[in-house]
Amino acid sequence: MNATRQHVSEPTLAGSDFRDLTLDDVEQVVASAGERSYRARQILHWIHARGAESFDEMRDLPASLRSYLKLNFRIGHPVSSFVSRSSDGTRKLLIRLDDGEEIESVIIPTENRVTLCMSSQVGCAMACEFCATARMGLHRNMTSSEMLSQISAARRELNASEEITNYVFMGMGEPLANYPRLVRTLAIMTSEWGMGISPRRITVSTVGLVPMMERLLNETPVNLAVSLHATTNELRDRLAPINKRYPLEVLLDACCNLPIKRRSRVTFEYVMLAGVNDSIADARRLVKLIAPLRGKVNLIFFNPLPDSPLQTSSRAVVEAFQAILRNANLTATIRESRGLDIAAACGQLCAEQRATD
Ligand code: SAH
């Protein structure tokens, strides 16, 4: 690393998108330009706090540094190319990436929050039976810069009185299958040199990639949501095939081994599928599985997919299911469908379909 710092004419990380870089990286760049290290924070402040889209805007940098940066680096800023607005205030952003791929993000205003649902991959390889994104297969991982562009695109769509309060990686993709870039994104989001967002306001949702889940919880303080959906391996193998690699007992063991404080913050997501996983026996098995963890359960109305025989459970069934969990002293909430009229609801994100319909 020191060797590179001496080569003033050969920048480290040449060609990089600055929105992908951490403070360490930018300090290296600044050193390779022969500048003092405090310039790194100055540049990152321009990008993440002031939303600069070009080096020219960074007027308090020496002109020589600005031209060096312009010559050797770029600042990526994919923009939302299409916004759909739901009658319930939910807004879905279609974001076009540089290579023409498209991803979706959703702004969900509720009474006292504005949640941004973010994507982490173009498509997904996890093949869950009930999910629209799964039908695309995996096109590619998103870069950190691309993940972050969802935040700037969303901020541009907010009303003057709105501010994003919560960030959830529950859009397209399996965030933990894009681990290094996800962790970099989280570092940029939560660092004081980056966006300064509190990690408590960020939730990463996973289908249950156990080794990466354990790493994430050791390496970052963000919240974790685990998509459970079934109480037997037989059913989970079918609904979320990754279960064949990390079966229920392995997944729940990993959660059980978390320190109690972390454990009590894990949310288990459970998509309610009529006649598939919504029986009283399912609810009782779920209690047995989750009770030792003190985790929370979030029951989700299934949002129907075209050409799928799966149907959502009725409200009465979902409420009866919730009552069983609550009677066992578990925290169980029901997630209402939002943005259904613009195909922005849970599991409906699938840019490929949107682009061709
Ligand atoms: N891959 C990650 C994050 C993306 S999916 C994960 O599996 O958690 C985010 C949430 O939406 C998951 O809980 C997922 O099970 C749920 N979901 C997917 N398709 C859905 C659908 N059609 N209706 C309701 N929820 C769905």
Side-chain angles (χ1 to χ4, degrees):
M1 198 177 288
N2 281 337
T4 13
R5 285 184 186 211
Q6 285 153 19
H7 291 293
V8 172
S9 56
E10 273 179 48
T12 43
L13 302 159
S16 298
D17 176 347
F18 255 66
R19 304 227 311 178
D20 273 325
L21 302 185
T22 61
L23 179 62
D24 278 356
D25 299 328
V26 180
E27 281 177 346
Q28 279 188 50
V29 169
V30 164
S32 69
E35 288 283 345
R36 306 261 305 276
S37 74
Y38 76 92
R39 296 287 185 198
R41 283 177 187 268
Q42 234 177 331
I43 298 169
L44 287 172
H45 186 74
W46 271 108
I47 292 176
H48 298 298
R50 305 177 75 168
E53 293 186 351
S54 73
F55 296 112
D56 286 329
E57 290 168 57
M58 305 179 184
R59 286 176 301 275
D60 49 3
L61 299 185
S64 58
L65 178 57
R66 265 184 279 155
S67 18
Y68 174 88
L69 295 174
K70 251 167 80 173
L71 203 62
N72 296 298
F73 299 95
R74 59 205 169 86
I75 303 174
H77 46 89
V79 287
S80 66
S81 54
F82 192 84
V83 183
S84 324
R85 284 163 211 280
S86 163
S87 50
D88 67 15
T90 302
R91 276 148 280 172
K92 182 172 75 170
L93 279 58
L94 181 71
I95 296 177
R96 179 177 285 263
L97 309 177
D98 282 350
D99 62 355
E101 291 280 12
E102 289 175 318
I103 56 104
E104 295 181 331
S105 325
V106 187
I107 303 170
I108 311 158
T110 45
E111 231 165 85
N112 43 16
R113 301 178 168 192
V114 177
T115 302
L116 178 63
C117 180
M118 298 170 67
S119 295
S120 55
Q121 296 184 306
V122 185
C124 187
M126 295 297 124
C128 296
E129 186 183 338
F130 48 85
C131 176
T133 310
R135 294 182 170 185
M136 287 175 69
L138 178 66
H139 290 203
R140 68 171 175 83
N141 280 322
M142 287 169 68
T143 65
S144 297
S145 172
E146 288 168 341
M147 285 188 242
L148 295 168
S149 70
Q150 301 173 83
I151 301 177
S152 30
R155 284 181 179 162
R156 280 193 286 271
E157 292 303 322
L158 297 177
N159 307 328
S161 61
E162 287 177 323
E163 194 185 338
I164 302 170
T165 57
N166 296 73
Y167 300 80
V168 298
F169 284 88
M170 294 184 186
M172 292 163 66
E174 167 50 44
L176 298 188
N178 188 11
Y179 190 80
R181 295 179 194 86
L182 175 78
V183 167
R184 182 171 276 263
T185 306
L186 295 173
I188 298 170
M189 286 173 76
T190 57
S191 297
E192 105 289 347
W193 49 259
M195 298 179 149
I197 297 167
S198 161
R200 293 182 166 270
R201 297 185 172 278
I202 303 174
T203 300
V204 172
S205 178
T206 179
V207 70
L209 301 186
V210 171
M212 292 299 125
M213 211 172 90
E214 290 172 332
R215 263 187 81 182
L216 182 81
L217 291 171
N218 282 325
E219 293 173 10
T220 76
V222 298
N223 301 307
L224 184 72
V226 176
S227 293
L228 203 62
H229 312 318
T231 56
T232 64
N233 279 323
E234 194 192 355
L235 181 61
R236 198 163 189 273
D237 281 353
R238 187 191 119 192
L239 296 179
I242 194 69
N243 193 66
K244 293 178 192 150
R245 195 166 338 148
Y246 306 112
L248 274 175
E249 59 281 6
V250 173
L251 178 60
L252 293 169
D253 240 32
C255 299
C256 239
N257 290 332
L258 295 171
I260 189 90
K261 237 178 150 180
R262 296 287 336 237
R263 223 187 293 175
S264 64
R265 275 166 52 202
V266 174
T267 299
F268 293 93
E269 295 160 279
Y270 196 97
V271 174
M272 298 294 290
L273 299 163
V276 176
N277 66 355
D278 65 348
S279 70
I280 289 179
D282 283 305
R284 294 207 174 117
R285 276 193 297 268
L286 187 56
V287 167
K288 281 216 175 102
L289 291 175
I290 305 293
L293 291 160
R294 305 202 159 281
K296 291 170 279 200
V297 179
N298 198 348
L299 302 173
I300 310 173
F301 282 103
F302 167 64
N303 292 307
L305 304 184
D307 308 319
S308 164
L310 294 170
Q311 288 184 351
T312 187
S313 314
S314 66
R315 183 167 295 270
V317 167
V318 176
E319 284 174 359
F321 200 95
Q322 180 190 36
I324 294 172
L325 303 179
R326 287 193 164 164
N327 286 340
N329 282 327
L330 290 177
T331 307
T333 50
I334 297 176
R335 187 187 299 165
E336 297 295 336
S337 277
R338 301 293 310 272
L340 208 49
D341 53 342
I342 53 166
C346 284
Q348 291 188 323
L349 301 188
C350 176
E352 191 179 58
Q353 202 178 43
R354 170 66 194 78
T356 53
D357 64 18

